[in-house]
């Protein structure tokens, strides 16, 4: 039996009725806000390709941190931009390196704000790659040395936990990275610190503005030998399953917008909390169109974030977090 007995519009007749039957809710509790900290003083430098996103030196960061916490955002994702890079990314795991110093400061200013530490080497290596480079003596071909990189990633994760990071988020896509970092954290006494794994990270064109922000573009080649082919979806299951077995506490899909089918698939296959990363180009495209008056930024952003939740994301890393938090409370 169908129309006229069944009329689906009956449940859309008023705002109150639509609110009662709404299936997906978007709240500020869903958001993780990325922050870029850098060396120096007096630095609040807008990133040209990401309007409204800044590089922050630690002497100017406190006000920003208080603003984030005041908006009800409960977690930040911390990226460091060092002033020194080398082949082994030593600034990633130094006790006095930029991320570690920033973490200690933020915990003084806002102890309850969760710090998610991005655990990778790409911002810190002179090559711009996510691990140390090995060259084949016969062919001269250069590639990331997976197992040698794991040792440095473990050092990085432990140093971040020692500084006070609440969550370790390894984004390097090395084979075995979750197991190595889990063992390293446990041996150092940080068995309580969860791992938010960049489980499914594609070799995507959507990272362009981020590489501008993090000064992390590869100096040669690309990252296709360790990040995933955008054409593959079954491979995402293998990657995620490996991380589950190795001890990940949360899984992530990056990017989000062009990969919502992958978000839905992981949600249906695994019972761990799922993170979608609303990445830099997804942000920049909306900002550029809004500045040209081509779209309603608020409506587009909230609909996009809602779509990520509807697809299955429990959390969303987004540069829109502050704007969305204000919009959700009616500002």
């Amino acid at each position: 039996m169908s129309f006229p007995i069944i009329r689906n519009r009956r449940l859309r007749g008023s705002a109150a009725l639509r609110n009662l039957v709404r299936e997906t809710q978007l709240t500020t509790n869903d958001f993780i806000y990325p922050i870029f900290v850098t060396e120096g003083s007096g630095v609040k430098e807008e990133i040209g390709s990401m309007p409204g996103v800044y590089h922050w030196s630690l002497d100017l960061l406190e006000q920003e941190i208080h603003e984030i916490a005041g908006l009800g955002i409960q977690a930040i994702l911390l990226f460091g931009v060092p002033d020194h890079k080398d082949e082994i990314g030593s600034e990633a795991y130094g006790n006095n390196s930029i991320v570690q110093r920033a973490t200690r400061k933020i915990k003084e200013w806002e102890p309850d704000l969760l710090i998610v530490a991005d655990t990778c080497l790409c911002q810190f290596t002179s090559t711009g790659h996510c691990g140390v480079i090995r060259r084949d003596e016969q062919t001269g071909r250069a590639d990331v040395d997976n197992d040698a990189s794991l040792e440095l990633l473990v050092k990085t994760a432990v140093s971040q936990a020692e500084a006070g990071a609440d969550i370790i988020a390894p984004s390097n896509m090395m084979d075995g990275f979750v197991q190595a970092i889990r063992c390293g954290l446990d041996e150092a006494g940080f068995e309580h610190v969860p791992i938010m794994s960049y489980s499914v990270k594609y070799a995507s064109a959507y990272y362009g503005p981020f590489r501008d922000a993090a000064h992390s573009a590869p100096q040669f080649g690309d990252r296709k030998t360790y990040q995933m082919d955008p054409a593959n979806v079954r491979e995402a299951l293998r990657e995620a399953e490996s991380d589950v077995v190795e001890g990940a506490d949360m899984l992530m899909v990056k990017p989000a917008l062009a990969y919502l089918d992958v978000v839905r698939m992981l949600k249906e296959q695994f019972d761990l909390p799922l993170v979608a990363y609303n990445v830099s180009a997804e942000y920049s495209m909306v900002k550029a169109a809004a500045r040209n008056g081509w779209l309603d930024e608020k409506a587009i952003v909230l609909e996009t974030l809602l779509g990520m939740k509807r697809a299955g994301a429990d959390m969303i890393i987004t540069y829109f977090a502050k704007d969305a938090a204000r919009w959700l409370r009616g500002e």
Side-chain angles (χ1 to χ4, degrees):
M1 188 177 296
S2 186
F3 180 84
I5 302 300
I6 295 174
R7 291 180 180 266
N8 291 314
R9 288 182 57 191
R10 292 187 188 116
L11 299 183
R12 304 172 193 155
S14 68
L17 188 53
R18 292 191 296 273
N19 287 340
L20 281 175
V21 300
R22 181 160 293 143
E23 300 172 23
T24 307
Q25 302 291 333
L26 184 69
T27 78
T28 303
N29 291 341
D30 300 322
F31 302 145
I32 300 170
Y33 185 56
I35 293 280
F36 295 93
V37 292
T38 190
E39 300 285 3
S41 60
V43 179
K44 180 187 177 183
E45 180 181 65
E46 189 173 40
I47 298 160
S49 56
M50 300 177 69
V53 179
Y54 296 85
H55 289 125
W56 295 93
S57 57
L58 299 189
D59 59 318
L60 297 184
L61 182 62
E62 183 174 3
Q63 183 176 350
E64 173 74 354
I65 294 300
H66 290 318
E67 180 182 354
I68 292 165
L71 287 168
I73 297 167
Q74 298 185 75
I76 59 170
L77 176 59
L78 194 58
F79 294 100
V81 182
D83 57 7
H84 168 75
K85 302 188 180 196
D86 56 37
E87 290 187 354
I88 58 173
S90 58
E91 284 293 304
Y93 44 84
N95 181 56
N96 254 347
S97 296
I98 184 62
V99 168
Q100 287 76 3
R101 296 199 329 268
T103 298
R104 291 192 288 268
K105 285 290 187 182
I106 293 166
K107 281 300 176 185
E108 290 177 13
W109 302 326
E110 291 286 350
D112 294 330
L113 183 66
L114 292 174
I115 298 176
V116 184
D118 179 80
T119 306
C120 195
L121 302 180
C122 61
Q123 299 106 283
F124 305 96
T125 57
S126 53
T127 65
H129 280 283
C130 300
V132 293
I133 297 298
R134 176 184 60 197
R135 291 188 181 276
D136 187 291
E137 293 181 0
Q138 293 183 332
T139 66
R141 181 176 179 268
D143 197 8
V144 172
D145 187 325
N146 190 95
D147 295 6
S149 300
L150 292 180
E151 297 178 19
L152 300 182
L153 292 163
V154 170
K155 290 177 65 175
T156 302
V158 170
S159 73
Q160 292 168 336
E162 288 174 342
D166 299 285
I167 299 170
I168 298 299
S171 59
N172 51 88
M173 287 297 284
M174 297 296 110
D175 289 339
F177 70 95
V178 172
Q179 179 177 319
I181 289 173
R182 183 72 274 158
C183 290
L185 289 172
D186 291 355
E187 289 172 5
F190 295 107
E191 63 279 350
H192 61 285
V193 174
I195 294 175
M196 176 190 289
S197 174
Y198 285 67
S199 299
V200 181
K201 183 178 180 181
Y202 286 91
S204 172
Y206 281 90
Y207 304 151
F210 172 87
R211 291 176 182 172
D212 185 27
H215 302 168
S216 64
Q219 297 304 298
F220 61 87
D222 53 43
R223 295 176 177 152
K224 293 180 181 179
T225 66
Y226 46 102
Q227 295 179 359
M228 282 180 52
D229 184 341
N232 292 356
V233 64
R234 295 194 306 273
E235 184 183 0
L237 277 178
R238 298 198 299 273
E239 286 282 1
E241 185 175 18
S242 295
D243 290 356
V244 172
V245 171
E246 291 176 19
D249 300 283
M250 293 170 262
L251 306 177
M252 187 191 303
V253 175
K254 180 183 181 183
L257 194 57
Y259 299 88
L260 293 180
D261 60 322
V262 182
V263 174
R264 168 51 58 185
M265 182 182 67
L266 261 61
K267 185 69 170 183
E268 292 173 348
Q269 293 293 324
F270 304 104
D271 60 2
L272 292 179
L274 185 58
V275 187
Y277 198 145
N278 179 210
V279 298
S280 57
E282 297 168 5
Y283 173 87
S284 297
M285 289 188 298
V286 173
K287 282 291 184 182
R291 286 191 168 191
N292 279 287
W294 295 339
L295 50 77
D296 180 332
E297 181 179 359
K298 173 183 173 181
I300 288 286
V301 170
L302 293 181
E303 183 177 340
T304 300
L305 297 177
L306 187 68
M308 293 173 188
K309 278 217 71 178
R310 190 183 64 247
D314 299 293
M315 292 160 273
I316 304 171
I317 300 170
T318 178
Y319 301 95
F320 287 114
K322 292 201 302 182
D323 290 334
R326 292 188 181 99
W327 292 331
L328 287 173
R329 65 187 196 182
E331 295 183 14

